[in-house]
Amino acid sequence: MGKWFEAAKDVRRTMDAAGAMLTDQEASRVVALYPSMRFDGELIPAGTRIQWDGQIRRAAVDLWDRPENAPGAAPNLWSDIGYREGARVIPEVITAALAFAKGETGWWQGAVYESLLDDNVWTPAQHSAGWKVLS
């Protein structure tokens, strides 16, 4: 295959090692670092993070890299990491356990917000005074 192919494989291994060291929050800032599915039939171990439609997905179980196991075709085999652009995704229902701290950032419908309240259990749509739009 040649030297360039071996060099590219070395770069991919380095990227995979670097990506494995990142938290989910950090990973959400560097989506391009993660591989996409190749549909080559290889094993994807549970816990592996991939990029899919511009977001990071984590394999919930061991699965094979085939079209029928892709996040779009089999969403139950994948989980969302819960972060976008470094901010925690704000769920539709925020329980006390998921409450946002004052100053914590949250991603909501394409924008990043900062919580203006401690123990914030409201979405920006429910209580806009509890959030400040950052971007």
Side-chain angles (χ1 to χ4, degrees), residues 20 100 128:
F100 283 75
S128 60

Side-chain angles (χ1 to χ4, degrees), residues 23-108:
T23 66
D24 288 343
Q25 183 177 18
E26 293 165 335
S28 73
R29 294 176 193 260
V30 289
V31 175
L33 182 65
Y34 293 88
S36 298
M37 292 184 75
R38 294 183 304 269
F39 305 127
D40 59 6
E42 292 291 319
L43 175 68
I44 297 176
T48 299
R49 291 183 289 200
I50 66 163
Q51 62 172 296
W52 187 262
D53 285 340
Q55 299 175 17
I56 302 286
R57 297 281 187 246
R58 181 191 328 278
V61 297
D62 288 348
L63 54 98
W64 302 107
D65 191 344
R66 298 192 307 232
E68 63 268 23
N69 292 334
N76 58 324
L77 299 179
W78 300 89
S79 61
D80 189 337
I81 64 167
Y83 288 89
R84 300 276 184 284
E85 302 168 15
R88 187 160 55 109
V89 173
I90 301 170
E92 291 288 333
V93 176
I94 306 173
T95 63
L98 296 175
F100 283 75
K102 185 175 183 176
E104 185 177 2
T105 57
W107 189 90
W108 175 262

